[in-house]
Amino acid sequence: MNFNKEAAAFLITALLIISRPLPAQQWCQNHQELTSPSYKQILKKIDDRRSALSNHPLIKGPADQILVKLINAESPIILRWIKKRNLSDKNFKQMSILWRKYYLENFVINKYPLNNQELNAIIENFLQEVNALTFSVDIKKKYQDLFGQAKTYAIKKVGQMPLSAKDKKAIVERIEKIKLYWFRSLKGSKFEKMPLEFIKWGIAYDPIPNEINIGIKALKYSNDETIFAVFAHEIGHSFDPCRWVAFFDGKFPLLKVTSCLRTKDSVNAKRRDDTPLQELVSRGRLTAELALSLKLNPTCNKVNYPPTGFQKDQIQEAFADWFSTEVISIAPYLSINLRNDLCENTQLMPGSSYVTNDTRLSKIYFAHPQVKKRLKVVGSVTYCSY
């Protein structure tokens, strides 16, 4: 009888441990405002301008002609497009409104620069308006100030790490040189080859020029603490395992951390799946030179490699989160607003370079002893210490 009671108690305890939600799931219940209200207003204004632009004669006319041709031909492309948006093929007016926007983005803006100079001017003016609408002088100053502070505390944290004097010097010099890249005009800018990324991306590190690109989605973050943490994350990318091979000498000095981040006790950051590598080379989809570069840099991902559905390496993003946490732990931006953007329930693509948001929060940010203590986070998770 006593044995049964003990066995039952053990079973109940085990079930409670297994079913206990991650700290992030508990935390996020109290964080409902994940998106800045001003960002929502800006998106509405941008969409209004996009709708007006889609009705410009140079866009509306060709768009409608293509739509009619595709419908009359019963093209599988347009049928899938209609089905995906739950549209009625009998409501041509509603369909044409959405199609013009789609045509504007995918066959006009995304194809910039075009042979038609008038269309090029329309696209340039549209993005100039969007930029002026989004980034006022005050907003730019705020982001520059937060970025400057993130750099200061990142450099301080590197100074506290048990690294060689040579590695510390190299990392600090690279961090010091990082700048924010702001949109000024489309023509001649790095956004020229990817105009829609200015609207659809937020804060992203660009390794070759050592810059952090600022897009419209940068305004989505609802508080300064999150913006600061995101900047610290992007700064971490300047010397993550992939960038270390390209821009530094010697072995990556924080292998203890990345090895820990690979384990199941931490975030179990997956390695890159190179199964399709040789086949892509033989089919001419990858050059032999790029394939060799990938083999020599096993933690790096490219835009087109691994291909969709195959696992990208997750250590770059896991390391950047880890460094962000280290920086936050010594900065005045450690509060209940920490990375509330990661409370958003987003669906990851198969093979994503990210682990899930709740895993990022629970097993990196909330696993840090200082963060856990200051924010009174409940839960026992291994933190990857250097």
Side-chain angles (χ1 to χ4, degrees):
M1 187 70 177
N2 288 336
F3 173 79
N4 288 339
K5 283 183 178 179
E6 289 174 5
F10 174 80
L11 180 60
I12 290 169
T13 302
L15 288 171
L16 284 171
I17 292 171
I18 293 169
S19 62
R20 183 182 295 155
L22 290 171
Q25 294 169 325
Q26 299 169 317
W27 174 271
C28 289
Q29 291 174 0
N30 300 319
H31 292 76
Q32 301 302 319
E33 189 174 88
L34 309 182
T35 301
S36 165
S38 62
Y39 175 70
K40 295 176 184 177
Q41 294 169 8
I42 286 167
L43 284 188
K44 175 66 170 59
K45 291 177 180 179
I46 292 173
D47 192 56
D48 289 344
R49 280 163 170 73
R50 187 162 36 202
S51 296
L53 186 56
S54 69
N55 287 310
H56 189 284
L58 287 177
I59 295 162
K60 178 175 70 172
D64 289 353
Q65 288 175 16
I66 292 173
L67 179 60
V68 170
K69 284 181 181 179
L70 290 172
I71 290 174
N72 289 340
E74 296 184 351
S75 166
I77 295 172
I78 198 65
L79 293 177
R80 285 195 297 268
W81 185 86
I82 292 169
K83 183 178 180 181
K84 187 177 180 180
R85 289 157 182 78
N86 296 316
L87 298 171
S88 168
D89 55 7
K90 294 180 176 62
N91 191 341
F92 184 79
K93 183 178 179 181
Q94 182 192 21
M95 192 188 307
S96 63
I97 289 171
L98 293 178
W99 173 259
R100 288 169 191 169
K101 286 185 183 180
Y102 181 82
Y103 177 86
L104 169 65
E105 287 195 349
N106 295 278
F107 297 96
V108 180
I109 297 176
N110 247 359
K111 301 296 183 183
Y112 179 90
L114 302 160
N115 291 327
N116 188 317
Q117 293 306 313
E118 189 174 355
L119 273 178
N120 285 340
I122 288 171
I123 298 167
E124 291 162 9
N125 290 336
F126 168 65
L127 288 172
Q128 202 76 31
E129 284 181 16
V130 168
N131 182 51
L133 178 71
T134 308
F135 294 114
S136 66
V137 173
D138 289 343
I139 288 175
K140 280 188 173 183
K141 183 180 183 305
K142 170 185 171 178
Y143 277 69
Q144 284 288 167
D145 288 347
L146 287 167
F147 171 61
Q149 291 180 64
K151 280 177 67 171
T152 298
Y153 283 99
I155 290 168
K156 182 178 180 181
K157 173 48 68 175
V158 171
Q160 295 174 353
M161 291 180 176
L163 306 174
S164 69
K166 177 188 172 185
D167 287 342
K168 280 186 182 181
K169 183 174 183 291
I171 294 169
V172 167
E173 285 180 353
R174 186 157 176 84
I175 291 174
E176 285 176 337
K177 292 175 182 176
I178 302 175
K179 295 180 180 179
L180 297 188
Y181 183 86
W182 297 95
F183 180 97
R184 291 180 178 83
S185 62
L186 182 58
K187 191 174 182 179
S189 74
K190 67 170 65 176
F191 291 112
E192 183 174 341
K193 295 180 180 178
M194 46 181 185
L196 285 177
E197 288 201 7
F198 175 58
I199 296 176
K200 296 184 176 182
W201 283 78
I203 299 175
Y205 180 69
D206 189 355
I208 294 177
N210 198 26
E211 295 171 337
I212 294 176
N213 299 339
I214 304 295
I216 302 299
K217 282 185 76 173
L219 267 66
K220 183 177 182 180
Y221 303 115
S222 59
N223 57 74
D224 289 359
E225 293 91 334
T226 294
I227 298 168
F228 178 90
V230 170
F231 276 135
H233 171 105
E234 298 305 328
I235 290 169
H237 277 308
S238 68
F239 66 103
D240 68 28
C242 172
R243 278 58 185 248
W244 188 270
V245 176
F247 301 103
F248 297 86
D249 295 324
K251 290 184 179 180
F252 182 65
L254 291 164
L255 280 173
K256 181 182 177 183
V257 172
T258 53
S259 297
C260 173
L261 291 168
R262 295 279 194 196
T263 66
K264 291 182 179 179
D265 289 335
S266 181
V267 295
N268 194 25
K270 293 183 174 63
R271 297 182 185 276
R272 192 183 71 202
D273 182 0
D274 280 343
T275 304
L277 186 62
Q278 290 307 318
E279 183 183 351
L280 290 172
V281 172
S282 63
R283 288 165 53 192
R285 300 286 295 276
L286 283 180
T287 64
E289 290 78 15
L290 179 56
L292 178 60
S293 175
L294 286 165
K295 286 180 179 179
L296 294 173
N297 300 282
T299 64
C300 296
N301 303 307
K302 299 293 182 182
V303 173
N304 59 342
Y305 187 85
T308 303
F310 289 88
Q311 182 60 56
K312 296 181 184 297
D313 203 297
Q314 296 179 329
I315 202 63
Q316 291 180 55
E317 298 301 337
F319 176 80
D321 277 342
W322 175 87
F323 184 69
S324 174
T325 309
E326 287 291 316
V327 174
I328 290 164
S329 71
I330 62 167
Y333 286 95
L334 178 52
S335 81
I336 59 170
N337 290 323
L338 172 64
R339 289 309 302 257
N340 70 349
D341 62 307
L342 295 182
C343 287
E344 188 173 349
N345 186 21
T346 55
Q347 286 294 111
L348 296 176
M349 294 287 287
S352 173
S353 59
Y354 291 90
V355 298
T356 61
N357 282 352
D358 58 349
T359 300
R360 293 172 69 185
L361 272 176
S362 296
K363 296 191 174 184
I364 299 182
Y365 285 98
F366 292 161
H368 192 287
Q370 188 66 20
V371 175
K372 188 185 295 184
K373 180 181 177 181
R374 287 273 299 276
L375 301 186
K376 297 181 173 60
V377 176
V378 177
S380 179
V381 181
T382 298
Y383 184 68
C384 295
S385 173
Y386 54 75

Short mmCIF file of all heavy atoms in Angstrom, two decimals, residues 271-299:
data_model
loop_
_atom_site.label_atom_id
_atom_site.label_comp_id
_atom_site.label_asym_id
_atom_site.label_seq_id
_atom_site.Cartn_x
_atom_site.Cartn_y
_atom_site.Cartn_z
N ARG A 271 22.50 21.81 -36.27
CA ARG A 271 23.55 22.03 -37.25
C ARG A 271 22.97 22.10 -38.66
O ARG A 271 21.87 21.61 -38.92
CB ARG A 271 24.60 20.91 -37.18
CG ARG A 271 25.31 20.86 -35.84
CD ARG A 271 26.38 19.78 -35.81
NE ARG A 271 26.96 19.67 -34.48
CZ ARG A 271 27.94 20.44 -34.02
NH1 ARG A 271 28.44 21.38 -34.80
NH2 ARG A 271 28.41 20.29 -32.79
N ARG A 272 23.72 22.70 -39.56
CA ARG A 272 23.29 22.83 -40.95
C ARG A 272 23.26 21.46 -41.63
O ARG A 272 24.17 20.66 -41.47
CB ARG A 272 24.27 23.75 -41.68
CG ARG A 272 23.82 24.22 -43.05
CD ARG A 272 24.90 25.07 -43.70
NE ARG A 272 26.04 24.25 -44.10
CZ ARG A 272 27.26 24.73 -44.29
NH1 ARG A 272 27.52 26.00 -44.09
NH2 ARG A 272 28.25 23.93 -44.67
N ASP A 273 22.20 21.23 -42.39
CA ASP A 273 22.04 19.97 -43.12
C ASP A 273 22.67 20.13 -44.52
O ASP A 273 22.14 20.85 -45.36
CB ASP A 273 20.56 19.62 -43.25
CG ASP A 273 20.32 18.30 -43.97
OD1 ASP A 273 21.31 17.65 -44.38
OD2 ASP A 273 19.14 17.92 -44.14
N ASP A 274 23.79 19.46 -44.73
CA ASP A 274 24.49 19.55 -46.01
C ASP A 274 24.14 18.41 -46.97
O ASP A 274 24.84 18.20 -47.97
CB ASP A 274 26.00 19.59 -45.79
CG ASP A 274 26.49 20.98 -45.40
OD1 ASP A 274 25.74 21.94 -45.61
OD2 ASP A 274 27.61 21.10 -44.87
N THR A 275 23.06 17.68 -46.69
CA THR A 275 22.65 16.57 -47.55
C THR A 275 22.52 16.97 -49.02
O THR A 275 22.97 16.22 -49.90
CB THR A 275 21.32 15.97 -47.05
OG1 THR A 275 21.47 15.57 -45.69
CG2 THR A 275 20.91 14.76 -47.89
N PRO A 276 21.92 18.15 -49.34
CA PRO A 276 21.72 18.47 -50.75
C PRO A 276 22.91 19.14 -51.45
O PRO A 276 22.83 19.48 -52.62
CB PRO A 276 20.53 19.43 -50.71
CG PRO A 276 20.69 20.15 -49.42
CD PRO A 276 21.28 19.14 -48.45
N LEU A 277 24.03 19.32 -50.73
CA LEU A 277 25.13 20.13 -51.25
C LEU A 277 25.67 19.63 -52.59
O LEU A 277 25.71 20.37 -53.58
CB LEU A 277 26.26 20.19 -50.22
CG LEU A 277 27.43 21.12 -50.56
CD1 LEU A 277 26.97 22.56 -50.68
CD2 LEU A 277 28.52 21.00 -49.50
N GLN A 278 26.08 18.36 -52.64
CA GLN A 278 26.69 17.84 -53.87
C GLN A 278 25.72 17.81 -55.03
O GLN A 278 26.09 18.08 -56.18
CB GLN A 278 27.25 16.43 -53.60
CG GLN A 278 28.48 16.42 -52.70
CD GLN A 278 29.57 17.35 -53.19
OE1 GLN A 278 29.87 17.43 -54.38
NE2 GLN A 278 30.17 18.09 -52.26
N GLU A 279 24.45 17.50 -54.74
CA GLU A 279 23.46 17.46 -55.81
C GLU A 279 23.25 18.85 -56.42
O GLU A 279 23.14 19.00 -57.64
CB GLU A 279 22.12 16.93 -55.30
CG GLU A 279 21.07 16.80 -56.40
CD GLU A 279 19.72 16.35 -55.87
OE1 GLU A 279 19.63 15.98 -54.69
OE2 GLU A 279 18.76 16.40 -56.66
N LEU A 280 23.24 19.87 -55.58
CA LEU A 280 23.07 21.24 -56.08
C LEU A 280 24.27 21.67 -56.93
O LEU A 280 24.11 22.39 -57.91
CB LEU A 280 22.89 22.20 -54.90
CG LEU A 280 21.56 22.09 -54.14
CD1 LEU A 280 21.58 22.96 -52.89
CD2 LEU A 280 20.39 22.48 -55.02
N VAL A 281 25.45 21.21 -56.56
CA VAL A 281 26.65 21.52 -57.35
C VAL A 281 26.56 20.81 -58.70
O VAL A 281 26.81 21.42 -59.75
CB VAL A 281 27.93 21.09 -56.61
CG1 VAL A 281 29.15 21.24 -57.52
CG2 VAL A 281 28.13 21.93 -55.35
N SER A 282 26.19 19.54 -58.70
CA SER A 282 26.12 18.77 -59.95
C SER A 282 25.04 19.30 -60.89
O SER A 282 25.17 19.21 -62.11
CB SER A 282 25.85 17.29 -59.65
OG SER A 282 24.59 17.12 -59.02
N ARG A 283 24.00 19.91 -60.33
CA ARG A 283 22.92 20.49 -61.15
C ARG A 283 23.21 21.93 -61.54
O ARG A 283 22.42 22.56 -62.23
CB ARG A 283 21.59 20.41 -60.40
CG ARG A 283 21.03 19.00 -60.29
CD ARG A 283 19.92 18.90 -59.26
NE ARG A 283 18.89 19.90 -59.46
CZ ARG A 283 17.94 20.18 -58.57
NH1 ARG A 283 17.92 19.55 -57.40
NH2 ARG A 283 17.03 21.09 -58.83
N GLY A 284 24.35 22.46 -61.10
CA GLY A 284 24.70 23.82 -61.44
C GLY A 284 23.99 24.87 -60.62
O GLY A 284 24.04 26.07 -60.95
N ARG A 285 23.34 24.47 -59.54
CA ARG A 285 22.63 25.42 -58.69
C ARG A 285 23.57 26.11 -57.71
O ARG A 285 23.27 27.18 -57.20
CB ARG A 285 21.51 24.70 -57.91
CG ARG A 285 20.47 24.02 -58.79
CD ARG A 285 19.54 25.03 -59.42
NE ARG A 285 18.75 25.72 -58.43
CZ ARG A 285 17.62 25.24 -57.91
NH1 ARG A 285 17.16 24.05 -58.29
NH2 ARG A 285 16.94 25.94 -57.01
N LEU A 286 24.70 25.47 -57.42
CA LEU A 286 25.75 26.06 -56.58
C LEU A 286 27.07 25.88 -57.30
O LEU A 286 27.32 24.84 -57.90
CB LEU A 286 25.82 25.36 -55.22
CG LEU A 286 24.79 25.68 -54.15
CD1 LEU A 286 25.09 24.85 -52.90
CD2 LEU A 286 24.74 27.14 -53.80
N THR A 287 27.93 26.89 -57.21
CA THR A 287 29.26 26.76 -57.81
C THR A 287 30.14 25.90 -56.91
O THR A 287 29.90 25.80 -55.69
CB THR A 287 29.92 28.13 -58.00
OG1 THR A 287 30.13 28.73 -56.70
CG2 THR A 287 29.03 29.05 -58.85
N ALA A 288 31.16 25.32 -57.49
CA ALA A 288 32.10 24.51 -56.72
C ALA A 288 32.80 25.37 -55.68
O ALA A 288 33.09 24.92 -54.56
CB ALA A 288 33.12 23.86 -57.65
N GLU A 289 33.07 26.64 -56.03
CA GLU A 289 33.75 27.56 -55.11
C GLU A 289 32.88 27.84 -53.89
O GLU A 289 33.36 27.85 -52.75
CB GLU A 289 34.08 28.88 -55.82
CG GLU A 289 35.16 28.77 -56.88
CD GLU A 289 34.66 28.17 -58.19
OE1 GLU A 289 33.41 28.09 -58.38
OE2 GLU A 289 35.49 27.78 -59.01
N LEU A 290 31.58 28.07 -54.13
CA LEU A 290 30.67 28.33 -53.01
C LEU A 290 30.51 27.09 -52.15
O LEU A 290 30.47 27.18 -50.92
CB LEU A 290 29.30 28.79 -53.53
CG LEU A 290 28.23 29.08 -52.46
CD1 LEU A 290 28.74 30.10 -51.46
CD2 LEU A 290 26.94 29.57 -53.11
N ALA A 291 30.44 25.93 -52.78
CA ALA A 291 30.33 24.68 -52.03
C ALA A 291 31.54 24.47 -51.12
O ALA A 291 31.40 24.07 -49.95
CB ALA A 291 30.18 23.50 -52.98
N LEU A 292 32.74 24.77 -51.64
CA LEU A 292 33.95 24.65 -50.83
C LEU A 292 33.92 25.63 -49.67
O LEU A 292 34.28 25.28 -48.54
CB LEU A 292 35.18 24.90 -51.71
CG LEU A 292 36.54 24.85 -50.99
CD1 LEU A 292 36.76 23.49 -50.35
CD2 LEU A 292 37.67 25.19 -51.96
N SER A 293 33.47 26.86 -49.95
CA SER A 293 33.37 27.87 -48.89
C SER A 293 32.41 27.43 -47.80
O SER A 293 32.68 27.60 -46.61
CB SER A 293 32.90 29.20 -49.50
OG SER A 293 32.67 30.16 -48.49
N LEU A 294 31.30 26.83 -48.19
CA LEU A 294 30.32 26.33 -47.22
C LEU A 294 30.91 25.21 -46.36
O LEU A 294 30.68 25.16 -45.15
CB LEU A 294 29.07 25.85 -47.94
CG LEU A 294 28.15 26.94 -48.50
CD1 LEU A 294 27.16 26.38 -49.51
CD2 LEU A 294 27.40 27.66 -47.38
N LYS A 295 31.66 24.32 -46.98
CA LYS A 295 32.28 23.23 -46.23
C LYS A 295 33.29 23.76 -45.21
O LYS A 295 33.41 23.23 -44.11
CB LYS A 295 32.99 22.27 -47.20
CG LYS A 295 32.03 21.39 -47.99
CD LYS A 295 32.81 20.45 -48.91
CE LYS A 295 31.88 19.55 -49.71
NZ LYS A 295 32.62 18.64 -50.62
N LEU A 296 34.00 24.82 -45.60
CA LEU A 296 34.99 25.41 -44.70
C LEU A 296 34.34 26.24 -43.60
O LEU A 296 34.99 26.57 -42.59
CB LEU A 296 35.97 26.27 -45.49
CG LEU A 296 36.88 25.52 -46.48
CD1 LEU A 296 37.68 26.50 -47.33
CD2 LEU A 296 37.81 24.57 -45.73
N ASN A 297 33.08 26.62 -43.81
CA ASN A 297 32.35 27.46 -42.84
C ASN A 297 31.03 26.79 -42.47
O ASN A 297 29.96 27.24 -42.89
CB ASN A 297 32.10 28.85 -43.44
CG ASN A 297 33.39 29.56 -43.80
OD1 ASN A 297 34.08 30.09 -42.94
ND2 ASN A 297 33.72 29.55 -45.08
N PRO A 298 31.08 25.70 -41.70
CA PRO A 298 29.89 24.88 -41.46
C PRO A 298 28.78 25.56 -40.64
O PRO A 298 27.66 25.06 -40.59
CB PRO A 298 30.44 23.66 -40.71
CG PRO A 298 31.72 24.14 -40.09
CD PRO A 298 32.28 25.15 -41.05
N THR A 299 29.08 26.69 -39.99
CA THR A 299 28.03 27.36 -39.20
C THR A 299 27.31 28.44 -40.00
O THR A 299 26.38 29.08 -39.49
CB THR A 299 28.62 27.99 -37.93
OG1 THR A 299 29.55 29.01 -38.30
CG2 THR A 299 29.30 26.96 -37.05
#
